[in-house]
């Protein structure tokens, strides 16, 4: 659970009197937070105070925009981190290998029936194993079925991702040679119009956007949505409610979604796409679209802007907790609720609810004990309902599960409750389940070190040629070996083979195999988290607290002694009022900022972002605004804060701010100015280095 979940009650907000540009309410709110929160809640102090301060001094529109921006920023980082793992996996020069096994342990009751019917001492365990490897543009896999450890049959497959996308398949027991099947040739023979360069598939990572590009796209397009949602926002403080038995008290931001905003949003997306080098490059370089086709697509979008949108009385309500974290949404159409989503944590109670009209709902009612979740998750569609029952479910290494999840679909079928037991050693996933009157099913998966794969030197290119030199004796030998490996006696095996070769696999002497199906629904992916708590101190200069958001540190130092550089230009923090004109691109200098509004300026290909606000009562040209925030988000940025850049190490940060030391596991460092409560900086760490710097000016 993220840190914001620990402060959803919103008590602090209710006691703040909103007086713009007056510090009295801010000071009172901070004093109240110190008294009420106490030292034990220090890890949550800074986010709560920052949210209170912003809500107090900002207009509703600016506060709403700030909330969305900060939440999108955090979500963007999480998305980028998750996406980077996938990207790095496919970028790995050593390749990828995954081992998967499915084991079925058959109940004695089932085995006794089969043994009696077949007069054979059958297997008690059936196991299917598969390994998949991809390296240097070649994919490979081995499939094997064993019974009590004896090989029943197997198959090998190699895929050459380049050229014409060729598949090489063989059954080693039948033949050492491979059968080659060309996907390109098959498509051409089928009459398909093949206009694709299969060589592009040689390296899958070439088809993936770079993590920085993903982050850039989310940043730019979400800014358009933020502008739309924040325009004309109304704020209602301390709205109470509950999901299941978990109570909440959130602040509510409501915005209308009228026809004019819809048209403005479409126009903004079209304009952004027109100049979007990332998307254009992806469509033209990776997917084969020509530049003329891309330009034509943009022109079609511009023409569609002239289409009349219907008048709308739609609106959206956004629910925000005490730390400024969005906890829910409600979408209205003519004041009728059409969709809603809400999350709550109240003590050990954790609840979530999603509803789409009367047709669909998702309700989670859980209890969190040291990061282990127990309770019910109910999925409803029309009158059908499926319930998931969680027992001590937790995550391991942020990607694997431990605990038990049971599936109860008794309201819509006669299938008994299926209990899925998850376990992990941090290197792979294991899932087991007992299937009534069938047996036990175990599924395991893990990553491994791949071996080299080579495309076969020779291969037969038709099924007829592949089978041509396989005589009947060889086929019978293969079939008998596979059948007897299952434990079936040789006499009955010969009878099965004879009937198969004669094409009459019917009733073999009255011995019929019972109909046994194994078809468990094992696609479960719950949202679970780990939380820890504790407090520690570093030295007199810095306070460090380990919470469920990681290790947070806070330090106080005068900003008058600190430096900020952007594009080689020194920005005087102590006296900053207006941005240096040379920092503003020429095409932005004529941009007008309306009263109580702001403009975001991106520098060095979005590596640096400057927020420039207009606190006057009339529209002004962009260079005349006040520089209120500078964010350094990429190591390519020509920017630094007191010598610290994205990529700096904790020890470098400690030295820059005259700290005796800084915990190497630190994830967030807050730097506060004792001379100005509204001036502070936030430094975020990931993988042991700085990955984000945000400096705010009051």
């Amino acid at each position: 659970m993220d840190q914001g979940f620990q402060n959803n009650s919103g008590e602090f907000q209710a006691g703040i009197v909103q007086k713009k540009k007056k510090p009295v309410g801010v000071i009172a709110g901070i004093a109240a937070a110190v008294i009420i929160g106490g030292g034990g809640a220090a890890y949550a102090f800074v986010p709560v105070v920052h949210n209170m301060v912003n809500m107090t001094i900002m207009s509703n529109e600016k506060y709403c925009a700030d909330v969305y921006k900060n939440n999108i920023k955090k979500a963007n980082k999480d998305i980028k981190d998750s996406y980077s793992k996938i990207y790095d996996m496919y970028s790995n020069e050593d390749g990828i290998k995954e081992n998967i096994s499915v084991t079925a342990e058959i109940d004695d009751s089932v085995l006794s029936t089969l043994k009696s019917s077949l007069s054979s001492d059958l297997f008690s365990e059936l196991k299917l194993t598969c390994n998949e490897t991809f390296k240097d543009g070649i994919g490979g896999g081995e499939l094997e079925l064993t019974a009590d450890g004896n090989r029943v049959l197997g198959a090998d497959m190699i895929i050459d991702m380049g050229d014409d996308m060729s598949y090489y398949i063989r059954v080693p027991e039948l033949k050492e040679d491979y059968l080659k099947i060309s996907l390109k040739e098959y498509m051409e023979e089928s009459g398909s119009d093949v206009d694709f360069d299969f060589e592009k598939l040689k390296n899958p990572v070439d088809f993936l956007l770079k993590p920085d590009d993903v982050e850039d796209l989310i940043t730019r397009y979400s800014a358009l949505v933020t502008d739309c949602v924040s325009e004309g926002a109304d704020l209602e403080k301390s709205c109470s409610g509950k999901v299941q038995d978990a109570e909440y008290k959130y602040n509510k931001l409501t915005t209308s979604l009228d026809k004019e905003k819809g048209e403005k949003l479409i126009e903004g997306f079209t304009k952004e796409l027109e100049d979007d080098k990332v998307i254009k490059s992806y469509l033209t370089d990776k997917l084969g679209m020509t530049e003329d086709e891309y330009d034509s697509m943009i022109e079609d979008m511009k023409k569609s802007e002239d289409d009349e949108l219907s008048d709308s009385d739609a609106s959206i309500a956004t629910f925000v907790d005490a730390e400024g974290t969005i906890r829910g949404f409600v979408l209205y159409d003519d004041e009728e609720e059409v969709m809603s989503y809400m999350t709550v944590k109240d003590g050990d109670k954790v609840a979530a609810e999603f509803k789409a009209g009367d047709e669909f709902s998702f309700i989670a009612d859980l209890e969190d004990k040291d990061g282990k979740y127990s309770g019910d998750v109910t999925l409803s569609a029309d009158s059908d309902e499926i319930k998931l029952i969680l027992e001590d479910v937790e995550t391991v290494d942020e990607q694997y599960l431990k605990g038990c999840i049971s599936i109860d679909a008794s309201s819509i079928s006669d299938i008994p409750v299926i209990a899925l037991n998850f376990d992990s050693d941090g290197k792979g996933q294991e899932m087991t389940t007992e299937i009534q009157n069938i047996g036990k099913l175990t599924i395991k998966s893990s990553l491994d070190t791949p071996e080299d794969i080579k495309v076969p030197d020779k291969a037969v290119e038709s099924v007829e040629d592949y089978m041509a030199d396989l005589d009947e004796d060889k086929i019978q030998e293969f079939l008998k070996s596979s059948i007897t490996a299952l434990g079936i006696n040789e006499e009955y095996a010969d009878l099965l083979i004879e009937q198969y070769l004669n094409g009459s696999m019917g009733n073999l002497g009255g011995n019929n195999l019972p109909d046994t199906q194994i078809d468990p629904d094992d696609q479960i992916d719950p949202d679970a988290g780990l939380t820890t708590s504790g407090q520690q101190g570093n030295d007199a200069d810095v306070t460090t607290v380990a919470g469920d958001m990681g290790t947070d540190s806070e330090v106080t130092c005068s900003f008058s002694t600190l430096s900020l550089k952007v594009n080689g230009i020194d920005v005087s923090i102590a006296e900053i009022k207006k941005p240096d004109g040379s920092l503003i691109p020429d095409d932005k200098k004529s941009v007008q900022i309306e009263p109580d509004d702001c403009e975001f300026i991106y520098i060095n290909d979005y590596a640096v972002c400057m927020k420039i606000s207009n606190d006057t009562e009339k529209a002004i040209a962009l260079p005349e605004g006040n520089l209120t925030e500078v964010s350094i988000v990429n190591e390519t940025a020509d920017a630094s804060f007191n010598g610290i850049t994205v990529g700096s190490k904790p020890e470098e940060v400690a030295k820059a701010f005259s700290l005796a030391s800084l915990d190497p596991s630190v994830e967030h460092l807050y730097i506060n100015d004792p001379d100005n409560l509204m001036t502070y900086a936030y430094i975020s760490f990931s993988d042991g280095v700085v990955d984000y710097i945000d400096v705010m000016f009051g």
Side-chain angles (χ1 to χ4, degrees):
M1 288 297 155
D2 59 61
Q3 181 178 337
F5 250 154
Q6 309 299 328
N7 298 277
N8 63 47
S9 58
E11 292 90 344
F12 302 147
Q13 292 94 314
I16 298 178
V17 178
Q18 186 167 346
K19 294 183 179 180
K20 292 181 64 177
K21 305 178 185 176
K22 299 293 184 180
V24 178
V26 177
I27 296 171
I30 294 175
V34 172
I35 295 170
I36 296 172
Y43 77 96
F45 174 72
V46 173
V48 172
V49 172
H50 289 174
N51 183 59
M52 287 193 302
V53 169
N54 289 345
M55 187 170 56
T56 303
I57 66 169
M58 290 180 175
S59 67
N60 292 343
E61 289 187 351
K62 292 174 68 177
Y63 174 66
C64 183
D66 191 67
V67 164
Y68 266 81
K69 174 197 169 188
N70 291 333
N71 278 268
I72 291 170
K73 183 189 297 181
K74 182 183 182 303
N76 199 354
K77 181 183 181 302
D78 293 341
I79 292 171
K80 181 182 179 182
D81 290 345
S82 299
Y83 182 81
S84 294
K85 291 180 180 179
I86 299 173
Y87 187 88
D88 292 343
M89 181 173 68
Y90 282 104
S91 301
N92 184 3
E93 293 182 355
D94 294 331
I96 308 164
K97 181 178 182 180
E98 182 176 16
N99 297 322
I100 301 171
S101 69
V102 180
T103 305
E105 300 174 45
I106 313 301
D107 273 357
D108 288 340
S109 59
V110 177
L111 286 175
S112 62
T113 302
L114 288 171
K115 288 178 180 180
S116 174
S117 176
L118 299 174
S119 301
S120 300
D121 187 17
L122 292 177
F123 61 89
S124 59
E125 179 185 280
L126 201 62
K127 185 174 184 178
L128 180 67
T129 58
C130 173
N131 65 65
E132 303 169 306
T133 304
F134 182 85
K135 186 175 182 180
D136 298 329
I138 303 172
E142 297 176 354
L143 191 72
E144 182 183 56
L145 179 67
T146 61
D148 291 340
N150 300 314
R151 181 179 171 105
V152 178
L153 57 86
D156 301 336
M157 182 168 70
I158 295 175
I159 307 173
D160 184 358
M161 305 295 284
D163 192 20
D164 57 358
M165 180 69 85
S166 296
Y167 291 77
Y168 297 84
I169 306 168
R170 74 170 178 176
V171 176
E173 287 83 358
L174 278 177
K175 204 170 187 179
E176 285 297 314
D177 292 340
Y178 283 85
L179 168 65
K180 178 183 178 182
I181 301 173
S182 166
L183 178 61
K184 184 177 181 180
E185 289 180 8
Y186 174 79
M187 293 174 67
E188 290 173 344
E189 291 172 1
S190 322
S192 300
D193 183 15
V194 183
D195 184 20
F196 186 79
D197 183 4
F198 285 99
E199 193 69 29
K200 290 182 177 180
L201 296 174
K202 197 86 173 166
N203 189 0
V205 76
D206 289 341
F207 266 83
L208 296 176
L209 286 170
K210 294 181 179 179
D212 288 342
D213 288 336
V214 172
E215 183 180 39
D216 166 45
L217 289 173
I218 295 174
T219 298
R220 287 189 284 117
Y221 287 94
S222 63
L224 299 173
V225 177
T226 297
D227 290 344
C228 177
V229 174
S230 59
E231 185 179 343
D234 291 325
L235 172 64
E236 182 180 352
K237 298 180 182 178
S238 300
C239 295
S240 301
K242 67 179 183 178
V243 175
Q244 300 302 96
D245 292 329
E247 298 182 349
Y248 66 81
K249 187 181 288 183
Y250 294 148
N251 297 308
K252 179 180 177 182
L253 289 159
T254 304
T255 311
S256 65
L257 302 174
D258 54 25
K259 174 182 175 181
E260 183 179 348
K261 285 185 179 178
E263 292 172 343
K264 183 178 179 182
L265 188 61
I266 293 173
E267 181 182 354
F269 269 88
T270 303
K271 188 177 186 306
E272 194 69 37
L273 276 170
E274 185 175 14
D275 301 322
D276 198 319
K277 295 179 180 178
V278 174
I279 291 180
K280 185 174 183 178
S281 173
Y282 184 81
L283 293 177
T284 55
D285 295 345
K286 311 298 184 186
L287 300 185
M289 179 182 284
T290 66
E291 292 196 13
D292 288 342
E293 288 173 336
Y294 186 87
D295 294 340
S296 178
M297 179 185 74
I298 297 298
E299 289 304 314
D300 289 342
M301 292 180 65
K302 288 180 178 180
K303 291 176 183 177
S304 68
E305 292 176 13
D306 298 330
D307 297 339
E308 284 291 325
L309 294 178
S310 59
D311 291 329
S312 171
D313 292 323
S315 61
I316 185 171
T318 305
F319 292 83
V320 185
D321 71 8
E323 295 184 5
T325 301
I326 294 175
R327 293 300 176 195
F329 301 91
V330 178
L331 182 64
Y332 299 95
D333 184 10
D334 196 17
E335 299 185 359
E336 179 181 349
E337 184 177 312
V338 294
M339 187 180 293
S340 65
Y341 171 71
M342 191 73 72
T343 58
V344 186
K345 188 168 194 292
D346 182 8
D348 290 340
K349 297 177 182 177
V350 178
E353 181 179 80
F354 173 81
K355 292 183 178 179
D358 298 326
E359 291 77 31
F360 180 82
S361 68
F362 167 100
I363 299 174
D365 185 11
L366 305 172
E367 186 178 32
D368 174 11
K369 288 188 177 180
D370 298 325
K372 296 181 179 180
Y373 294 86
S374 299
D376 299 340
V377 177
T378 304
L379 305 171
S380 300
D382 295 326
S383 58
D384 297 332
E385 180 178 287
I386 296 177
K387 182 173 289 186
L388 308 180
I389 305 160
L390 279 65
E391 299 176 53
D392 293 333
V393 175
E394 61 179 314
T395 57
V396 178
D397 196 26
E398 299 182 350
Q399 57 183 325
Y400 304 115
L401 287 179
K402 271 190 176 183
C404 179
I405 301 174
S406 299
I407 305 170
D408 182 359
S410 57
S411 66
I412 59 175
S413 72
D414 295 330
I415 299 175
V417 175
I418 300 173
L420 307 177
N421 295 284
F422 294 88
D423 199 4
S424 175
D425 58 2
K427 299 178 181 179
Q429 183 71 68
E430 178 178 324
M431 189 280 292
T432 60
T433 184
E434 300 277 352
I435 303 175
Q436 188 174 348
N437 299 324
I438 299 293
K440 180 181 178 181
L441 186 71
T442 302
I443 301 174
K444 295 181 180 180
S445 68
S446 62
L447 296 178
D448 202 352
T449 303
E451 305 88 5
D452 290 335
I453 312 175
K454 293 183 179 179
V455 174
D457 295 331
K458 62 177 183 176
V460 179
E461 299 196 14
S462 75
V463 176
E464 292 78 11
D465 291 340
Y466 186 82
M467 300 294 291
D469 58 350
L470 285 175
D471 57 31
E472 189 172 305
D473 290 341
K474 181 70 173 178
I475 295 174
Q476 287 192 27
E477 180 186 341
F478 163 68
L479 291 174
K480 188 169 184 176
S481 173
S482 297
I483 294 171
T484 54
L486 293 170
I488 295 176
N489 63 53
E490 291 192 12
E491 182 181 353
Y492 195 76
D494 289 337
L495 181 59
L496 286 172
I497 293 169
E498 181 183 348
Q499 294 296 321
Y500 170 73
L501 294 177
N502 292 333
S504 55
M505 289 291 287
N507 186 345
L508 300 178
N511 295 306
N512 296 311
L513 299 179
D515 181 15
T516 58
Q517 271 192 319
I518 299 177
D519 186 21
D521 181 2
D522 57 6
Q523 301 302 312
I524 307 299
D525 186 17
D527 179 17
L530 295 171
T531 58
T532 57
S533 62
Q535 185 170 347
Q536 63 187 41
N538 261 5
D539 49 56
D541 298 317
V542 60
T543 300
T544 303
V545 179
D548 54 347
M549 281 287 285
T551 303
D552 289 356
S553 297
E554 184 177 2
V555 64
T556 299
C557 62
S558 176
F559 273 48
S560 63
T561 64
L562 305 180
S563 65
L564 177 65
K565 288 188 176 182
V566 180
N567 280 5
I569 298 172
D570 287 310
V571 179
S572 176
I573 299 178
E575 300 178 359
I576 190 162
K577 290 183 179 179
K578 301 187 187 324
D580 189 297
S582 59
L583 288 176
I584 309 298
D586 291 337
D587 61 343
K588 290 283 188 179
K589 290 184 178 179
S590 60
V591 171
Q592 295 288 304
I593 311 178
E594 297 299 322
D596 291 327
D597 205 350
C598 63
E599 185 76 16
F600 293 94
I601 304 299
Y602 297 96
I603 303 174
N604 301 137
D605 292 329
Y606 302 95
V608 180
C609 174
M610 299 194 308
K611 178 181 177 182
I612 303 170
S613 302
N614 178 9
D615 296 326
T616 69
E617 297 180 357
K618 63 179 182 179
I620 59 175
L622 203 154
E624 295 302 313
N626 294 327
L627 181 57
T628 58
E629 182 178 1
V630 173
S631 301
I632 307 172
V633 300
N634 195 298
E635 61 187 357
T636 62
D638 182 9
S640 63
F641 176 49
N642 220 41
I644 298 304
T645 63
V646 172
S648 294
K649 298 178 180 179
E651 56 264 31
E652 296 172 324
V653 176
K655 182 178 180 181
F657 298 100
S658 302
L659 303 177
S661 64
L662 190 61
D663 193 326
S665 65
V666 65
E667 292 188 17
H668 315 99
L669 175 63
Y670 299 93
I671 304 171
N672 302 304
D673 186 359
D675 303 321
N676 189 338
L677 294 175
M678 299 301 298
T679 297
Y680 61 89
Y682 167 80
I683 300 177
S684 170
F685 298 78
S686 179
D687 297 327
V689 297
V690 174
D691 72 336
Y692 187 86
I693 302 171
D694 199 0
V695 186
M696 302 284 292
F697 311 106

